[in-house]
Amino acid sequence: PPHPACRYNFNHERWGFIVQATRFARVCMEDAFRYAHRRKTFGKPLVEHPVIRWKLAEMARQVESTHAMLETLTYQMCTMSKEEQNANLAGDCALIKAHATKVFEYCAREAAQIFGGNSYIRGGSQGERVERLYREVRAYAIPGGSEEILLDLGIRQAMKSAVTARAKM
């Protein structure tokens, strides 16, 4: 198992990656939404195609739920002592970091699908931000712990909390 310091010392670092990944996922979603309203295919705006609306809705569902988790975690980090954070938030930070980067990756991929060829042309194209973000997704998923390490840390922390809670009953 990782050293105990790994569970706690990265809470704030992971929080920063959660913030960035959530924001970048939202940028992908917003850019795709605007493009889908502007771009016409088969004589109508792209957004009038049900599959495109589904992609946008799925991105929105994931981004908004991730943002809500981030807000809750931020509140806890602002109101708990360092000791309470270390005891209670390492698992949550790990799980939310893994989730936020997966949502970012999903939104980047779906935005690229909506932009089509415009999503892989570097510099000056309509999909320039989506192209850059899609390239950079892994740079947010790996630091602070890979998904597998974070998910394992999160579940081990939950198991430890469950055992402690039962002991107090």
Side-chain angles (χ1 to χ4, degrees):
H3 187 274
C6 293
R7 292 193 305 261
Y8 311 124
N9 292 342
F10 293 117
N11 286 353
H12 285 83
E13 177 187 12
R14 290 177 181 142
W15 178 87
F17 282 114
I18 296 164
V19 170
Q20 292 174 63
T22 303
R23 180 64 193 134
F24 290 148
R26 186 177 298 281
V27 166
C28 289
M29 177 186 71
E30 290 172 351
D31 283 3
F33 186 83
R34 279 192 294 276
Y35 182 79
H37 278 82
R38 255 192 343 262
R39 175 82 165 107
K40 291 193 176 191
T41 59
F42 304 107
K44 61 183 179 180
L46 199 56
V47 75
E48 289 187 23
H49 299 281
V51 70
I52 300 300
R53 289 193 306 272
W54 183 87
K55 287 176 180 293
L56 294 168
E58 189 62 19
M59 283 191 278
R61 178 186 67 78
Q62 292 186 35
V63 168
E64 295 304 331
S65 63
T66 305
H67 189 99
M69 287 189 285
L70 171 60
E71 289 288 334
T72 300
L73 179 64
T74 302
Y75 176 79
Q76 290 172 322
M77 291 177 84
C78 289
T79 58
M80 288 181 172
S81 69
K82 266 289 196 225
E83 294 76 28
E84 289 174 307
Q85 288 180 43
N86 287 344
N88 300 311
L89 297 183
D92 288 348
C93 282
L95 292 174
I96 296 169
K97 196 268 185 180
H99 179 74
T101 57
K102 283 176 165 278
V103 168
F104 174 25
E105 187 169 24
Y106 177 83
C107 289
R109 185 183 71 238
E110 291 301 305
Q113 287 293 108
I114 290 170
F115 273 90
N118 284 323
S119 70
Y120 58 86
I121 300 170
R122 285 191 188 188
S125 76
Q126 295 178 61
E128 180 178 7
R129 288 197 312 182
V130 169
E131 182 274 329
R132 181 178 46 83
L133 290 172
Y134 197 24
R135 258 187 301 122
E136 295 177 2
V137 163
R138 301 314 299 163
Y140 291 89
I142 295 167
S146 67
E147 290 169 3
E148 297 80 7
I149 297 297
L150 293 175
L151 294 173
D152 183 59
L153 171 60
I155 197 63
R156 283 187 296 108
Q157 189 76 24
M159 290 165 51
K160 181 180 171 186
S161 296
V163 167
T164 303
R166 272 194 299 261
K168 292 179 182 177
M169 292 181 157

